[in-house]
Amino acid sequence: MSKETALCFFMRDEKEKWGNKIYVERQEGKISMRKKALFPTALVIGLLSSVTVYGKTVDMNLFYNGKNHDYHAKEVNITIDGKQLVPTDMPAVIVEERTYLPMRLIAEELGCEVTWNEETQQIFLVNDNDALVFTVGEKMVYRNGQEMTIDAPPMIINDRTMMPVRGLADALQCSTTWDDPTRTVNIVQGVQAEEQKKTESEDSDKESEEPALQKVKAIDQEKGSQVYMMQFTKPVDKITEVLSGSEKVVLEFADTVCLDTAKQPVADGRYVSQITVENVGEQGTRITFAFTENQSYELSQSIDGTQVFLSIDKARVEDISGEYDEKENEDIIRIWGKGLQDAKVTLTDEPKNVIVEIPNGVSAWEKPIKTEKMKFVQHASASMREGTTLYLAFSVAETASLEQKISDKEILLRITGSLEDTQNGQIPEGIFYDSRKNVLYLEKEKEFDVRDVVQKDRYLEGYFELILPGDYSHVYRNGTYAVGNDVLKDIQVSTVGGKTVLHFNQNRISAYEIEDEKDRYAVYVKNPKEVYDKVLILDAGHGGKDPGTIGNGLNEKDMALDVVKKTAEALKGSGVQVYLTRDSDIYPENTTRIGIANQIADALVTVHMNSGPIAAHGTEMLYKDYPTDDASKLTSKKLATIMQKNVVAATGNADRGLKLRTDLLILNQAKVPAIFAEIVFLTNPNDALKIASEAYQEQVALGLARGIQEAMSLPLR
């Protein structure tokens, strides 16, 4: 009911009596009445009729459903957790056999913040745990986005929002009782929590007799193997391999229980991507190991029976040799080891490379791959891709052809081509790349000042450029130098605008340092953490095909990107080296985002906009605890705490605090402190209106930047 509509029921000529003692008068164009407003949107709640209490009897006029109703009944009392609640201007009343309470009075007493939307006639209640949406005249209620039905609808009575006691109690998960002799509604909070505690206590009593799983832990890692230990409090007798395969193994331990300390084991990420532990049935524990690649494994048990071991073996390269066979005019490369049968060998163009990929592989061979005795292979390198695939790259002549033979213990490659092509081919001269040290060496035939070299970091486009101060093509011949390790794909040498350009195509974001070393120049390709004291990955959530939350005409991906760009700008000159995961409307996979952070950063902050019931609003930070957290250094929780404080201070947003989350891929795979910064709720009109403003985005960016600087002043490494 609008304010004007409400007034029309009160105004009568000059002076008209309504109820017993309340009068509304028109005096010199002004209306005089009692009123009160709901925060933050004004809601007229005055316009009350007379209330006369004679010996605990309420005698008043009630106006609802467009009509006046005489009300004469004994007083209804209210207690919350045994404490008497005394209404100040509107008593509890019984309407259509339902006891109605003043919504604001009760809700605030129960720890809720109340918002009224006059246009939609909706009431929003928000507390630490729940967001509720009620609509006047409807029994349907939304609790945390889920529908529920209450026994009677909210009503507007005498321009006050009133709620049926049973409906309010059910929605807020309180317990209610009615004492008829005293006409008292007793409301008790926290009943479900107490019942839960009781249930947990009963469950813990059951855990005393059976063997209990204490922990699952990686205990030994060597090249080509990994061992996980499952520690029990007592010997275990019944072990069943429910699922045994190369991608995962599922183990069940009958007549055992699982302690809380064992429920969140940490996978190493190299051999095992995820470990889950769960109780099955009344007496049993199930452990699942999901492998990163196809794996072979063995199970064993300690002599006392309290420890079970899962040993994982990987493909292993033990030796590599290469030589030229003059009779056959071919280079022969032999790769020896074990478990090599799944290797994949390809011949690529632009650049011309022979690539050997050995999934689930490691190299026990520490020596450089020599190419001096070969004719068609000019350079070779070995590296790991994504931590699980052994990657061998051989730069070959443009006319090279390939024959291959693969077995469990040997990979045999035969490479032939034109000798003329090797003499006049596309491998740049005057440069050499040490793929183990990640250093590019340039012959010093013609000197230049390294301070005149221009650096262009295009990490979001996957490359970095060094522009030399002149044309050195006669020293460093144009062409492509294949690298093929975790750091670089290749190095392209070209001449642009009369200057020699070294173009580094990256597999990892890197920082570059060039030094004059007397008889040569050295370009060091380093992990940014080797160069900068503080490195941050700043991620704008979603993007591209994934819009994220859509609410009130806004897309989460756009708002997050706007805030991230402003935050990066605010951090310039702060001493924090910032790398973005995107600066346009693209979608990096979540594994890519956290993979970059794990590779090169000290921390990750991913910026998001929240969603929920229309009443939900404010800022919150999502984090996760890790067994490897060091209390003396920055952790995910410390980062979340500092960021929450600074963003709330800068914006004045409602402080929704920290939320512990164990279901988010980025947090689950993080090896550095990482948080989700949920700035506002796009589903809330007020929040959406704020974040759409450039000025407000600047406030958010300032809060994020201040929080990042404060957090990264703590010990990081």
Side-chain angles (χ1 to χ4, degrees):
M1 182 185 301
S2 69
K3 178 178 178 181
E4 291 77 8
T5 303
L7 290 177
C8 75
F9 291 109
F10 285 87
M11 297 168 60
R12 300 287 188 274
D13 299 328
E14 290 295 324
K15 187 175 183 182
E16 182 176 8
K17 182 178 180 181
W18 185 13
N20 294 323
K21 297 184 179 180
I22 294 295
Y23 295 86
V24 181
E25 300 179 356
R26 188 196 309 270
Q27 297 176 351
E28 298 180 359
K30 298 180 181 180
I31 299 172
S32 175
M33 60 185 142
R34 298 173 58 190
K35 64 181 180 179
K36 187 176 182 181
L38 278 177
F39 177 80
T41 304
L43 170 63
V44 179
I45 59 171
L47 309 179
L48 293 180
S49 62
S50 133
V51 180
T52 305
V53 180
Y54 303 104
K56 295 188 178 180
T57 296
V58 178
D59 187 6
M60 63 185 298
N61 184 82
L62 301 181
F63 182 82
Y64 58 89
N65 294 339
K67 296 181 180 179
N68 287 314
H69 304 267
D70 289 328
Y71 182 82
H72 181 81
K74 291 183 179 180
E75 179 184 24
V76 176
N77 300 299
I78 305 166
T79 68
I80 298 179
D81 294 334
K83 179 182 177 182
Q84 182 78 25
L85 182 65
V86 181
T88 56
D89 54 4
M90 181 68 183
V93 294
I94 296 178
V95 175
E96 297 177 359
E97 300 182 353
R98 295 289 188 275
T99 301
Y100 276 81
L101 311 172
M103 168 68 88
R104 183 177 180 83
L105 177 69
I106 294 297
E108 290 187 342
E109 193 68 26
L110 292 172
C112 297
E113 182 179 345
V114 183
T115 304
W116 164 256
N117 187 318
E118 187 168 355
E119 182 178 350
T120 62
Q121 294 284 285
Q122 288 182 313
I123 311 104
F124 308 108
L125 301 186
V126 179
N127 60 23
D128 292 339
N129 301 311
D130 301 305
L132 305 167
V133 183
F134 300 89
T135 303
V136 172
E138 295 184 9
K139 296 182 181 180
M140 184 67 69
V141 177
Y142 289 91
R143 180 177 179 273
N144 298 328
Q146 302 296 315
E147 293 182 353
M148 65 176 291
T149 303
I150 56 178
D151 64 337
M155 298 179 68
I156 302 296
I157 301 176
N158 289 4
D159 224 22
R160 286 294 305 269
T161 306
M162 305 286 282
M163 173 60 69
V165 62
R166 178 59 59 84
L168 179 64
D170 289 346
L172 290 176
Q173 296 187 309
C174 299
S175 171
T176 60
T177 58
W178 169 259
D179 184 71
D180 191 61
T182 61
R183 291 178 62 83
T184 300
V185 177
N186 300 298
I187 302 175
V188 180
Q189 302 182 77
V191 172
Q192 288 192 348
E194 291 301 321
E195 291 177 350
Q196 180 65 23
K197 290 180 181 178
K198 181 179 178 181
T199 301
E200 291 176 352
S201 176
E202 292 173 351
D203 289 343
S204 65
D205 291 339
K206 299 177 182 178
E207 298 183 359
S208 57
E209 299 299 328
E210 303 298 333
L213 178 65
Q214 291 179 306
K215 61 184 175 181
V216 180
K217 182 181 179 182
I219 61 170
D220 189 24
Q221 180 174 319
E222 297 179 352
K223 287 195 172 179
S225 67
Q226 172 71 73
V227 179
Y228 279 91
M229 177 188 69
M230 291 152 273
Q231 178 71 58
F232 290 83
T233 57
K234 297 180 180 180
V236 290
D237 300 321
K238 302 175 183 178
I239 306 173
T240 305
E241 294 181 58
V242 179
L243 176 63
S244 176
S246 59
E247 296 182 355
K248 71 164 60 174
V249 59
V250 180
L251 307 175
E252 284 191 1
F253 300 84
D255 301 324
T256 65
V257 294
C258 177
L259 301 181
D260 289 342
T261 56
K263 289 183 178 179
Q264 291 185 330
V266 178
D268 64 281
R270 183 176 180 183
Y271 299 88
V272 176
S273 60
Q274 186 176 22
I275 307 171
T276 57
V277 178
E278 56 187 329
N279 289 316
V280 288
E282 292 185 0
Q283 295 284 334
T285 302
R286 176 182 294 160
I287 307 175
T288 302
F289 294 86
F291 300 138
T292 53
E293 299 270 350
N294 290 346
Q295 310 277 19
S296 60
Y297 69 90
E298 291 183 357
L299 282 177
S300 59
Q301 195 169 9
S302 63
I303 296 176
D304 65 1
T306 62
Q307 296 175 335
V308 178
F309 303 98
L310 177 74
S311 302
I312 302 167
D313 292 322
K314 300 180 77 70
R316 183 182 180 94
V317 172
E318 296 176 347
D319 196 8
I320 302 175
S321 69
E323 61 182 0
Y324 173 65
D325 185 330
E326 186 173 357
K327 181 180 178 180
E328 299 294 334
N329 188 34
E330 64 184 11
D331 287 339
I332 300 174
I333 300 174
R334 287 185 170 89
I335 304 169
W336 287 287
K338 67 175 184 178
L340 305 178
Q341 66 275 5
D342 294 326
K344 178 183 177 183
V345 180
T346 55
L347 179 62
T348 66
D349 294 315
E350 299 181 2
K352 199 81 169 184
N353 286 329
V354 174
I355 305 298
V356 181
E357 296 176 272
I358 304 174
N360 189 34
V362 295
S363 176
W365 189 59
E366 302 291 346
K367 301 176 183 178
I369 303 174
K370 295 182 179 181
T371 59
E372 292 88 346
K373 296 181 180 181
M374 293 185 279
K375 297 294 184 181
F376 306 106
V377 178
Q378 283 107 1
H379 176 70
S381 63
S383 62
M384 295 299 299
R385 288 289 177 88
E386 298 180 356
T388 60
T389 300
L390 180 60
Y391 187 91
L392 306 176
F394 301 89
S395 298
V396 298
E398 284 297 307
T399 59
S401 61
L402 170 70
E403 291 183 7
Q404 57 180 284
K405 184 179 179 181
I406 302 174
S407 67
D408 175 57
K409 296 183 179 180
E410 183 185 28
I411 301 171
L412 177 64
L413 307 177
R414 297 181 181 273
I415 302 167
T416 189
S418 166
L419 287 176
E420 180 181 354
D421 187 53
T422 65
Q423 297 166 358
N424 303 302
Q426 302 301 310
I427 306 301
E429 291 182 347
I431 71 174
F432 169 72
Y433 190 79
D434 186 333
S435 62
R436 292 187 178 275
K437 295 181 179 179
N438 286 307
V439 182
L440 175 68
Y441 295 106
L442 306 174
E443 290 183 4
K444 198 173 186 179
E445 187 173 314
K446 183 179 179 181
E447 292 191 13
F448 57 82
D449 191 335
V450 295
R451 293 172 296 182
D452 294 332
V453 176
V454 176
Q455 299 190 21
K456 289 187 177 180
D457 192 348
R458 300 289 186 268
Y459 67 90
L460 285 170
E461 300 169 54
Y463 70 89
F464 189 98
E465 284 187 342
L466 293 176
I467 303 173
L468 305 186
D471 184 353
Y472 297 87
S473 57
H474 63 290
V475 182
Y476 317 121
R477 189 177 65 193
N478 293 346
T480 300
Y481 193 108
V483 178
N485 64 7
D486 277 353
V487 177
L488 294 176
K489 298 175 184 175
D490 56 54
I491 304 168
Q492 297 173 356
V493 182
S494 62
T495 304
V496 180
K499 295 184 178 182
T500 295
V501 178
L502 305 178
H503 182 102
F504 299 81
N505 287 311
Q506 302 181 133
N507 286 322
R508 181 204 73 191
I509 296 173
S510 296
Y512 294 73
E513 293 182 339
I514 182 168
E515 295 183 7
D516 187 335
E517 297 185 346
K518 295 183 180 180
D519 59 340
R520 64 185 180 183
Y521 299 105
V523 179
Y524 293 88
V525 185
K526 296 184 175 182
N527 188 304
K529 289 198 290 188
E530 297 179 79
V531 177
Y532 306 107
D533 293 331
K534 305 170 184 179
V535 182
L536 173 77
I537 295 299
L538 190 55
D539 173 49
H542 307 282
K545 64 182 181 181
D546 179 10
T549 293
I550 300 175
N552 293 290
L554 301 177
N555 288 335
E556 179 179 4
K557 66 176 183 178
D558 299 327
M559 297 298 99
L561 184 58
D562 288 345
V563 168
V564 159
K565 286 181 176 180
K566 290 177 173 62
T567 304
E569 187 67 26
L571 284 168
K572 286 184 177 179
S574 66
V576 178
Q577 178 64 25
V578 178
Y579 292 101
L580 307 183
T581 58
R582 68 183 183 98
D583 65 353
S584 61
D585 190 20
I586 62 171
Y587 177 72
E589 294 290 338
N590 285 333
T591 51
T592 300
R593 302 175 202 239
I594 190 57
I596 294 171
N598 288 339
Q599 282 183 324
I600 69 164
D602 295 303
L604 175 142
V605 173
T606 178
V607 176
H608 289 256
M609 306 296 142
N610 223 331
S611 65
I614 193 171
H617 64 289
T619 298
E620 63 189 31
M621 300 289 157
L622 314 183
Y623 75 99
K624 184 179 178 180
D625 290 323
Y626 303 92
T628 55
D629 282 347
D630 184 341
S632 67
K633 298 179 181 179
L634 182 66
T635 64
S636 177
K637 187 172 184 179
K638 287 182 183 178
L639 178 59
T641 301
I642 293 170
M643 296 299 292
Q644 179 74 7
K645 176 188 69 174
N646 280 276
V647 173
V648 169
T651 61
N653 286 358
D655 187 349
R656 296 174 59 88
L658 311 186
K659 302 292 187 290
L660 177 65
R661 294 289 293 270
T662 60
D663 59 332
L664 300 173
L665 183 147
I666 285 179
L667 296 184
N668 286 341
Q669 294 189 2
K671 297 178 182 178
V672 296
I675 65 162
F676 279 61
E678 299 280 2
I679 306 301
V680 296
F681 282 76
L682 290 188
T683 47
N684 179 278
N686 291 335
D687 273 10
L689 182 65
K690 289 190 293 186
I691 198 63
S693 160
E694 288 278 339
Y696 181 79
Q697 290 175 15
E698 293 286 358
Q699 286 181 297
V700 173
L702 180 62
L704 288 170
R706 286 174 175 169
I708 289 165
Q709 290 179 74
E710 180 181 343
M712 300 194 79
S713 67
L714 298 176
L716 301 173
R717 305 170 192 170

